[in-house]
Amino acid sequence: MMKNSKYILLALMSLGFIACESDDDAGTTAEVELTAGEADFSNYVSLGNSLTAGFTDGALFIAGQEASFPNIMAEQFAKVGGGSFTQPLMSDNSGIILAAGTLVGGPRLIFNGTAPVPLPGAMGSTDVAFNNPTGPFNNMGIPGAKSFHLIAPGYGNIAGLSAMPPTANPYYVRMTGSTPDARVIDLAVGQSPSFFSLWIGNNDVLGYALSGGDGTDPITDQATFELAYNATIGALVGTGAKGVVANIPDVTAIPHFTTVPHNPVPLDAATATQLNGAYAVYNGGLQQAFAALAGTGLFTQEELDRRTISFEAGSSNAVVIIDEDLTDLGAINPAFAALPQIRQATADDLLVLPASRFIGTEAVPGNPLTVNGVALPLEDKWVLTPEEQEAIATATAGFNSTISSAASTNGLAFVDANTLLNEIATNGFSFGNFTFTSDLVTGGAFSLDGVHPTSRGYSLIAAEALKAIDVAYGSNFEEAGAIPNPGDYPVFYSPALQ
């Protein structure tokens, strides 16, 4: 009846892996002596989550780590007094991470010519129970970390991986060594950094978004975020270090939420008629409820229209979704308890990227009346409704206010990652010889997971951070041409990368 390949037109991906490139060289800058200004880069320490670690294509692996934005910055810092920059490198490029032989992450994604898929036959050798590297580490980016994890004891204790729910993070377990209960901030401050970068808070809203706002991963409350962020900043500046911070992008603008259309369902006339017949009882029940509640204001014509399900022959039928923000008619009148809170999606709804592999599958093989997203409504985890998007926007604004205030109060360099992502998503963003967009696979900015930047995207983050440092501390990375060339960094990695 329908094919999943129609949900995302991945045929467009055959246009290539790279963002648009001009014919000109990267350009030259007149010889200008590089200066650090008021900053001291001799001991640079970075803190954050997967965006700091160099996570890309759905995993952490050596090549991605080497192209992390802190490592790219450290290469420029080295030209003006910066010291060595040590990272907790994975053991290979599979992206797999294990805990006593049990898979806890990876493998990395590759592009097979049609769609992003897990690296076939991947065999990982990074096991947090057996072969962790020796610190201290300048890059303390921890995939999955939220703001409060940076000040939480035990977050790197391997025993916490078996707790329910887990209280530890396998990527941080690799960093703690002989001090498994040490807090992230303690290990960072213990290195007496002269300069730091902090980019944290994305996961405080992203976890909620990735789960479709289904309640399994709630948004961090503002008070907790503010306490954790200010405690982290206070500890870092308390060492006398200067630094650069970045705010939180609008996560709903990333390809993970903008690739799958709300109306990807192709139907022939016979199937559309069959489905409309199946929903006739439901639609009739809505009409009865509306008549019974007329004049009460509890069930409006607008909501009746919104909830009425209708299909037609064509390629652009909207999926059916569960929406818990619709009126619970059964709670008003038990006679309507059988009417579920469902409706067809609109352009205002955001479907998560994994929905592309789920929509159109049959719960009962061979039975078209059990098709997910059509006969069977999509669960909350597959969709971000406008109300859930508003919750994300409100939290992001609050978190970014805290970050901006901390940067201003402490005289720190500031990267407006939120505005940068919006520009990429809305108009495209030119950097070097490339124009970055938020299109999955072809846009150049986002990797195959639709969430994390490509290595070339991380070079853009590094460049923006260096420019912000120039503004705050009087350095001249941009003027002296000490800005990374995005052409030196790949968009995606070969399946053959070992």
Side-chain angles (χ1 to χ4, degrees):
M1 179 182 66
M2 61 192 73
K3 297 181 179 179
N4 289 338
S5 61
K6 292 186 178 180
Y7 300 146
I8 308 176
L9 299 179
L10 289 175
L12 293 176
M13 297 176 180
S14 63
L15 295 175
F17 290 161
I18 62 175
C20 298
E21 183 174 359
S22 75
D23 294 329
D24 299 329
D25 291 331
T28 57
T29 302
E31 192 71 25
V32 174
E33 183 179 359
L34 181 63
T35 175
E38 300 174 3
D40 175 3
F41 304 114
S42 59
N43 188 17
Y44 165 46
V45 175
S46 59
L47 294 88
N49 49 41
S50 55
L51 298 173
T52 293
F55 201 97
T56 190
D57 291 340
L60 192 66
F61 51 96
I62 295 173
Q65 290 176 282
E66 290 175 340
S68 65
F69 89 83
N71 199 46
I72 295 172
M73 286 174 51
E75 292 171 355
Q76 303 304 323
F77 291 164
K79 300 174 182 178
V80 64
S84 60
F85 190 78
T86 303
Q87 301 192 97
L89 295 177
M90 301 287 279
S91 301
D92 53 51
N93 281 304
S94 70
I96 289 176
I97 184 169
L98 308 164
T102 299
L103 181 69
V104 294
R108 65 184 175 94
L109 299 173
I110 63 164
F111 184 68
N112 69 359
T114 302
V117 296
L119 179 67
M123 300 288 289
S125 57
T126 302
D127 195 314
V128 300
F130 303 120
N131 58 2
N132 296 327
T134 301
F137 302 105
N138 297 85
N139 191 337
M140 301 196 70
I142 304 163
K146 297 183 179 183
S147 58
F148 52 86
H149 289 139
L150 301 188
I151 60 171
Y155 192 54
N157 191 323
I158 193 171
L161 295 181
S162 57
M164 289 297 174
T167 57
N169 182 310
Y171 296 99
Y172 186 45
V173 168
R174 300 186 71 241
M175 302 183 193
T176 52
S178 61
T179 56
D181 290 324
R183 302 184 305 167
V184 177
I185 187 59
D186 292 334
L187 293 185
V189 169
Q191 298 179 60
S192 300
S194 62
F195 195 86
F196 68 87
S197 63
L198 176 65
W199 195 8
I200 195 70
N202 193 65
N203 288 329
D204 292 74
V205 291
L206 181 62
Y208 173 84
L210 293 177
S211 64
D214 68 358
T216 58
D217 194 346
I219 296 173
T220 302
D221 67 85
Q222 174 65 27
T224 297
F225 179 86
E226 190 163 342
L227 184 153
Y229 195 88
N230 287 332
T232 300
I233 287 290
L236 290 167
V237 299
T239 67
K242 293 179 170 58
V244 57
V245 300
N247 66 4
I248 303 167
D250 173 11
V251 299
T252 64
I254 63 178
H256 191 88
F257 301 105
T258 60
T259 301
V260 183
H262 75 282
N263 57 345
V265 180
L267 296 174
D268 56 34
T271 304
T273 298
Q274 187 178 24
L275 286 167
N276 286 333
Y279 277 106
V281 174
Y282 165 74
N283 287 337
L286 290 178
Q287 292 286 352
Q288 293 174 16
F290 180 71
L293 298 173
T296 67
L298 298 174
F299 188 36
T300 64
Q301 179 70 52
E302 180 183 8
E303 184 171 352
L304 171 63
D305 294 341
R306 191 180 185 203
R307 294 175 70 155
T308 299
I309 308 296
S310 178
F311 295 100
E312 60 185 29
S315 61
S316 301
N317 284 277
V319 294
V320 181
I321 66 172
I322 295 173
D323 184 350
E324 69 275 12
D325 287 307
L326 294 172
T327 302
D328 184 352
L329 296 172
I332 298 173
N333 186 334
F336 306 124
L339 295 174
Q341 294 165 279
I342 63 174
R343 61 176 175 85
Q344 284 178 286
T346 73
D348 293 328
D349 296 299
L350 300 178
L351 276 66
V352 298
L353 187 58
S356 65
R357 299 189 297 270
F358 182 74
I359 297 169
T361 61
E362 295 173 342
V364 179
N367 185 348
L369 293 182
T370 65
V371 174
N372 291 303
V374 184
L376 298 180
L378 295 179
E379 296 178 38
D380 191 11
K381 66 180 180 180
W382 300 109
V383 186
L384 279 178
T385 64
E387 291 82 2
E388 292 164 342
Q389 294 170 49
E390 181 61 29
I392 290 170
T394 298
T396 300
F399 297 166
N400 282 347
S401 177
T402 296
I403 294 169
S404 177
S405 177
S408 177
T409 299
N410 294 283
L412 302 172
F414 174 73
V415 178
D416 190 351
N418 191 20
T419 295
L420 177 62
L421 175 56
N422 286 335
E423 183 67 18
I424 290 172
T426 304
N427 303 311
F429 188 90
S430 295
F431 172 44
N433 294 331
F434 301 90
T435 297
F436 293 83
T437 74
S438 61
D439 295 332
L440 183 66
V441 177
T442 59
F446 287 93
S447 70
L448 295 172
D449 59 29
V451 176
H452 298 89
T454 62
S455 291
R456 187 170 295 169
Y458 281 124
S459 74
L460 171 59
I461 298 299
E464 293 302 301
L466 290 168
K467 294 175 184 178
I469 292 167
D470 285 350
V471 172
Y473 299 119
S475 56
N476 65 342
F477 290 103
E478 183 175 21
E479 183 185 12
I483 296 292
N485 176 6
D488 292 339
Y489 302 91
V491 175
F492 303 119
Y493 291 95
S494 166
L497 181 68
Q498 300 295 317

